Amino acid sequence: MDTPIAQDTIAAIASALGPGAIAIVRVSGPQALPLADAVFRGSGRPPSQRPGHSVCSGMVCAAHGEPLDEVLVLIFRAPRSYTCEDVVEFHCHGGGQSARRVLRRALAAGARAAEPGEFTLRAFLNGRLDLTQAEAVQDLIQARSERAADAALQQLRGGLRQAVAAIHEEGLTALTPIEAALDFPDDEMPTPILAPIGPALERAAAALGRLLETATEGRLLRAGVRLVLAGPANAGKSSLFNALLGTERAITSPQPGTTRDTIEAAWPLHGIPITLVDTAGLRAAACAIESDGIGRTRAELGQADLQLLVLDGAGPLDDDARATLAAPAPAGRLIVLNKSDLPPALDRAALPPGIPVIAVSALTGQGLADLRHRLVEMLDADLLSDPAPHAVIAERHRLLLACAQEELSAARTLFDPAAESGWVLVAGHIRAALEALGELSGRHYQAELLDRIFSGFCIGK
Amino acid sequence: MDTPIAQDTIAAIASALGPGAIAIVRVSGPQALPLADAVFRGSGRPPSQRPGHSVCSGMVCAAHGEPLDEVLVLIFRAPRSYTCEDVVEFHCHGGGQSARRVLRRALAAGARAAEPGEFTLRAFLNGRLDLTQAEAVQDLIQARSERAADAALQQLRGGLRQAVAAIHEEGLTALTPIEAALDFPDDEMPTPILAPIGPALERAAAALGRLLETATEGRLLRAGVRLVLAGPANAGKSSLFNALLGTERAITSPQPGTTRDTIEAAWPLHGIPITLVDTAGLRAAACAIESDGIGRTRAELGQADLQLLVLDGAGPLDDDARATLAAPAPAGRLIVLNKSDLPPALDRAALPPGIPVIAVSALTGQGLADLRHRLVEMLDADLLSDPAPHAVIAERHRLLLACAQEELSAARTLFDPAAESGWVLVAGHIRAALEALGELSGRHYQAELLDRIFSGFCIGK
């Protein structure tokens, strides 16, 4: 692969911002070591005269000498670094101020602020990672559960790369004899050696199918599960929200329409990364404010992975409840009949069939353990039932794998061992499948694709 | 100083949690290097056989060999480390999952989860930092502005330690001749050499006074400024909140009582760390929900550093507004007359004297630049008027300095060069002052004090 050599030196804060002991400013590029010499004051030799994989301590100072922070400096020499370039890391005090000062100093000394993912982009361009591994870096950072981390780590270590390479190899096995035959002039073209073609296409298609089956799981592990509480006003959504979280996060009251702004909170459930969202009650709105809130509720429902439809189990099924149940639901749904501490008054037979129903009392806690268990079951049975971690694919992968699958399917349909022509078409479809796989691994890429992938990264990686 | 040698090895995540490229797990103690050997797989020599201040790369693996994350390992050998003990840092992928897995692995391999601040506590106990420097570590991490970072860094580098040591020295200068005289039996006691005593006490008192003057500034730089928008319902607080932030963070409507839950947002103003808080309007509450919201508003006002009292400048001064203005205000206040785009109808003469008034329109933006400028002036003139960074003291320091000041004041009152007795009392007060200063620097300490200080630290520092 062509290895473009970056001419400029980039810098960014590479640790999360927020309360923490240590923050890291990372610098990569041909000027990283001279830059470190310029901004760092320590005892002993300057950074540029130290070996790679070494650490020294001292002070980052402003141009006029005023100290900006006490730091450790890590030195990595090309190509033994994350980017395969010279890299210097400044380990500052955490919390943000120190790292921002050190970053500003590095920029003043000639570095350019790195774009999101630019360090990993350089690692990719310099051939250290293929594109699926580069993507796995960000997946690992964004992993919200053990399982997501396992899957991303496996992908980072080449799990998806190898699976795709194996499919690519099967495609080549099928393509090679055909292309060999196509090299002859039309009238002399021999029949290709047929035996390997059919089985290779079969194996490739089966492997593609297995990868594509993990697409839903991949999405949920990456993004986590968005669990939205919705339903008519006064059904007790905020009370249930508080009861599930175990805190008084949302204001509750007996009056319908209490909640207006949507409120969300992280709610890890049995290792599944869940964002719990409380919303304004759905009803023919009493005022403009509630309308605004209800608009926000509908937007939330559109983004939900799972909807908890909260109804008042101690009241009749009114029009607001009916309207809620009749609304189209792209996501999974569970009906929660709240207020089970009161005599039940809702006619369960009037509920739409096919949606699981569970009765709880947010007030007394009755049924909440069942609800949690049921949610784990729903998520687990549908999405997380496979105990072994394996590569799970992202949307970009799914599209390219589906494209490869379609092309291979066309090739298999056209493939007729008895035919003496049609090989050009078969070869064309196999080549298209291989191109899709090559784009997946980054063997072929366009600048635009790289922009799209790496712009989703965090700064500093 | 007694140097207790820690027997156990501690571990914690030392970087902030959240989206970021790199996360750090730090291990310190006698077992740090053997632990690294047990959990880390890389090429070349194991960590325990590498020199201090070196870096190696590889994989942290579970006990049964399954990889948990790709890491860099930093090795620091006692006493050349943050804690003066053997320290190993694992640099994992950011985002939390990887760091948590590596931490769990370190704990399984025999480390104990570090208490908040325990690494810095060990640095203090091992004599690397005095107590004011240890406190400055956390101040630097929590610094919310350049100025706060400058002050904390100066304190970390010994600014406060030296100031306190100088006062301590003056106290000793005054105490030594008195104690020399007290060594004689009562009937033979000579008059102490008087000349140095008075001037030394004077200098010590003056220096104490200068340090104490920075107490308010210290509090604001540490905690930031909490700026609460309060006032009658429908004065346009949420509109002003949104206009200042430049986003539609809060729901707004023409109806009184729209805001219920308090909403806050970081609003850095001219380098001053400000938290802007929007609250429910204060009025004879229309319902229980609003009452709850109004209760939260009053609680917020109690914690405010600065109150923005937002009134409707286009309406008369009604009872709700009068009640708001009459409420006791421990903090600074600024009256904002909103809706300056409408004809003014509020009688400014009816406003209480002594509170600055400024007219704005959250709708058109008129007056907002003036408001921002006025806020900077108020904060700057009162609190941030001194351009040079210097040590700014925390509440613990203030109390001890005030105690020392009181004791020295008593000593100065009792000090009578002409008297032939009374020296025992003078010496007692000076000794009490010196004890307070010794407690400040950690020269003398009690376990309980250390618990209180270090429990406020973040984990991993």
Side-chain angles (χ1 to χ4, degrees):
Chain A
M1 188 172 66
D2 239 20
T3 304
I5 304 299
Q7 295 302 316
D8 53 354
T9 295
I10 54 175
I13 297 175
S15 51
L17 289 176
I22 303 175
I24 298 176
V25 175
R26 183 188 256 178
V27 181
S28 178
Q31 294 303 308
L33 289 167
L35 184 150
D37 288 355
V39 308
F40 175 77
R41 298 282 167 272
S43 58
R45 286 173 294 164
S48 68
Q49 290 172 39
R50 291 173 184 262
H53 285 66
S54 70
V55 182
C56 50
S57 60
M59 197 69 76
V60 167
C61 294
H64 48 85
E66 190 199 325
L68 295 173
D69 197 20
E70 284 182 355
V71 298
L72 289 177
V73 175
L74 271 65
I75 295 146
F76 302 90
R77 289 180 174 275
R80 290 188 59 213
S81 74
Y82 183 67
T83 57
C84 299
E85 305 173 332
D86 285 343
V87 169
V88 173
E89 286 181 10
F90 297 95
H91 289 212
C92 329
H93 284 91
Q97 283 295 330
S98 297
R100 279 192 288 270
R101 290 152 71 110
V102 170
L103 175 62
R104 278 199 299 271
R105 180 69 184 99
L107 299 179
R112 168 172 70 71
E115 302 289 329
E118 198 169 358
F119 294 92
T120 307
L121 172 63
R122 291 186 172 196
F124 166 69
L125 292 175
N126 291 327
R128 210 175 81 79
L129 303 170
D130 91 333
L131 207 46
T132 66
Q133 291 174 300
E135 291 169 304
V137 168
Q138 185 64 2
D139 286 345
L140 186 48
I141 288 171
Q142 290 178 340
R144 293 176 58 197
S145 71
E146 277 281 318
R147 189 183 178 83
D150 278 336
L153 183 61
Q154 220 208 335
Q155 182 169 327
L156 176 59
R157 301 188 71 207
L160 183 54
R161 186 185 65 181
Q162 287 153 18
V164 170
I167 297 170
H168 197 273
E169 198 55 39
E170 298 289 5
L172 278 182
T173 302
L175 184 60
T176 309
I178 304 177
E179 289 201 319
L182 290 178
D183 278 347
F184 288 84
D186 269 6
D187 50 348
E188 294 176 24
M189 190 177 141
T191 305
I193 301 159
L194 299 175
I197 299 177
L201 292 178
E202 297 275 339
R203 286 191 301 269
L208 279 172
R210 282 194 298 275
L211 279 179
L212 280 165
E213 274 170 15
T214 66
T216 307
E217 180 176 345
R219 194 178 67 78
L220 286 169
L221 286 181
R222 280 186 178 78
V225 174
R226 201 163 177 86
L227 181 56
V228 175
L229 278 69
N234 210 30
K237 292 177 295 302
S238 296
S239 301
L240 182 60
F241 179 81
N242 287 340
L244 289 174
L245 289 176
T247 67
E248 290 302 306
R249 173 67 184 83
I251 293 181
T252 56
S253 87
Q255 188 179 318
T258 301
T259 303
R260 291 164 172 188
D261 292 282
T262 58
I263 305 180
E264 56 183 74
W267 185 51
L269 176 64
H270 212 75
I272 305 167
I274 289 181
T275 303
L276 200 61
V277 184
D278 186 25
T279 63
L282 296 165
R283 62 167 172 165
C287 68
I289 312 157
E290 251 191 275
S291 283
D292 189 341
I294 289 171
R296 292 176 188 223
T297 301
R298 294 199 196 285
E300 279 298 338
L301 282 176
Q303 295 171 25
D305 297 301
L306 201 54
Q307 300 180 357
L308 276 197
L309 299 179
V310 185
L311 305 178
D312 179 354
L317 197 63
D318 62 13
D319 289 346
D320 289 325
R322 272 181 231 281
T324 303
L325 290 167
R333 299 206 281 188
L334 181 63
I335 293 175
V336 178
L337 301 182
N338 190 22
K339 311 189 187 177
S340 67
D341 49 301
L342 302 176
L346 188 140
D347 177 14
R348 287 197 182 207
L351 296 173
I355 309 179
V357 178
I358 194 161
V360 309
S361 166
L363 185 66
T364 66
Q366 187 189 352
L368 290 184
D370 281 353
L371 173 57
R372 280 190 288 264
H373 185 252
R374 191 58 176 270
L375 286 171
V376 174
E377 263 185 358
M378 282 182 78
L379 291 166
D380 199 54
D382 288 2
L383 314 161
L384 302 170
S385 53
D386 182 357
H390 52 77
V392 286
I393 62 173
E395 185 61 12
R396 184 182 82 86
H397 307 149
R398 190 185 69 73
L399 292 172
L400 289 168
L401 291 172
C403 168
Q405 192 180 44
E406 199 171 307
E407 295 291 346
L408 285 186
S409 166
R412 289 167 69 199
T413 307
L414 291 170
F415 173 63
D416 174 3
E420 291 192 357
S421 66
W423 299 113
V424 173
L425 286 176
V426 173
H429 285 298
I430 298 178
R431 270 192 223 106
L434 293 180
E435 254 169 52
L437 296 174
E439 193 177 330
L440 203 158
S441 65
R443 197 186 297 234
H444 325 296
Y445 62 84
Q446 295 182 322
E448 193 193 349
L449 169 71
L450 296 187
D451 280 355
R452 204 164 55 238
I453 289 176
F454 289 98
S455 65
F457 270 56
C458 57
I459 296 272
K461 194 70 201 184
Chain B
M1 188 171 68
D2 241 17
T3 303
I5 303 299
Q7 295 300 319
D8 53 355
T9 295
I10 54 175
I13 297 175
S15 50
L17 288 177
I22 303 174
I24 299 175
V25 175
R26 185 188 254 177
V27 181
S28 178
Q31 294 304 309
L33 290 168
L35 183 150
D37 287 355
V39 309
F40 174 77
R41 297 285 166 271
S43 58
R45 285 173 294 165
S48 68
Q49 290 174 40
R50 290 172 183 263
H53 285 64
S54 70
V55 182
C56 49
S57 59
M59 197 69 75
V60 167
C61 294
H64 47 87
E66 190 199 326
L68 297 173
D69 196 21
E70 284 182 355
V71 299
L72 288 177
V73 175
L74 272 64
I75 294 145
F76 302 90
R77 288 180 175 276
R80 291 189 60 212
S81 75
Y82 183 68
T83 56
C84 299
E85 305 174 332
D86 284 343
V87 168
V88 173
E89 286 181 12
F90 296 95
H91 289 212
C92 327
H93 284 91
Q97 283 294 333
S98 297
R100 280 193 286 270
R101 288 151 71 110
V102 170
L103 174 61
R104 278 200 298 270
R105 180 68 184 101
L107 299 179
R112 169 172 68 70
E115 301 289 328
E118 196 168 1
F119 294 91
T120 307
L121 171 64
R122 290 187 173 195
F124 165 70
L125 292 175
N126 289 328
R128 209 175 81 79
L129 303 169
D130 91 334
L131 206 45
T132 68
Q133 291 174 300
E135 289 169 306
V137 168
Q138 185 64 1
D139 285 346
L140 187 48
I141 288 171
Q142 291 179 339
R144 292 177 56 197
S145 71
E146 280 280 317
R147 189 183 179 82
D150 278 336
L153 183 61
Q154 222 208 332
Q155 183 168 323
L156 176 59
R157 300 186 73 207
L160 183 55
R161 184 185 67 182
Q162 287 154 20
V164 170
I167 298 170
H168 197 272
E169 197 56 41
E170 298 289 3
L172 278 182
T173 302
L175 184 61
T176 308
I178 304 178
E179 288 202 319
L182 290 178
D183 277 347
F184 288 84
D186 268 5
D187 50 349
E188 294 176 22
M189 187 174 142
T191 306
I193 301 158
L194 298 176
I197 297 175
L201 290 178
E202 297 274 339
R203 287 191 300 269
L208 278 172
R210 282 193 298 275
L211 279 180
L212 280 166
E213 274 169 16
T214 66
T216 307
E217 181 178 343
R219 193 177 67 78
L220 285 170
L221 285 182
R222 279 186 180 78
V225 174
R226 205 165 172 85
L227 180 58
V228 175
L229 276 70
N234 210 30
K237 291 176 297 300
S238 296
S239 301
L240 182 60
F241 179 82
N242 287 340
L244 289 173
L245 289 177
T247 67
E248 292 302 308
R249 173 65 182 86
I251 294 181
T252 56
S253 87
Q255 188 178 319
T258 300
T259 304
R260 291 163 172 187
D261 291 283
T262 59
I263 306 181
E264 56 182 73
W267 187 52
L269 177 64
H270 212 75
I272 306 167
I274 288 181
T275 302
L276 200 62
V277 185
D278 186 25
T279 63
L282 296 165
R283 62 167 173 167
C287 66
I289 314 158
E290 253 192 271
S291 284
D292 189 341
I294 290 170
R296 292 175 188 222
T297 301
R298 294 199 196 286
E300 279 298 337
L301 282 175
Q303 294 170 28
D305 298 301
L306 200 56
Q307 301 180 356
L308 277 198
L309 300 178
V310 185
L311 305 178
D312 180 354
L317 198 62
D318 63 12
D319 288 347
D320 289 324
R322 273 182 230 282
T324 304
L325 291 166
R333 299 206 281 186
L334 181 64
I335 293 175
V336 178
L337 299 182
N338 191 18
K339 309 189 188 177
S340 67
D341 50 302
L342 302 176
L346 187 140
D347 178 13
R348 287 198 183 206
L351 296 172
I355 309 180
V357 179
I358 195 160
V360 307
S361 165
L363 185 66
T364 66
Q366 188 188 354
L368 290 183
D370 281 356
L371 172 57
R372 279 190 289 264
H373 184 251
R374 191 58 176 269
L375 285 171
V376 174
E377 263 186 359
M378 281 182 77
L379 291 166
D380 198 56
D382 288 3
L383 314 161
L384 303 168
S385 54
D386 183 356
H390 51 76
V392 286
I393 62 173
E395 186 60 13
R396 184 183 81 89
H397 307 148
R398 191 186 68 74
L399 292 171
L400 289 167
L401 291 172
C403 167
Q405 192 180 44
E406 197 171 310
E407 295 291 347
L408 285 187
S409 166
R412 289 166 71 198
T413 306
L414 290 170
F415 172 64
D416 175 4
E420 290 191 357
S421 66
W423 299 113
V424 171
L425 286 177
V426 173
H429 286 298
I430 298 178
R431 268 192 226 106
L434 293 180
E435 253 167 54
L437 296 174
E439 193 177 328
L440 204 158
S441 65
R443 198 185 296 235
H444 325 297
Y445 62 85
Q446 295 182 324
E448 192 193 350
L449 169 70
L450 296 187
D451 279 354
R452 204 163 56 238
I453 289 176
F454 288 97
S455 65
F457 269 57
C458 56
I459 295 272
K461 196 70 202 185

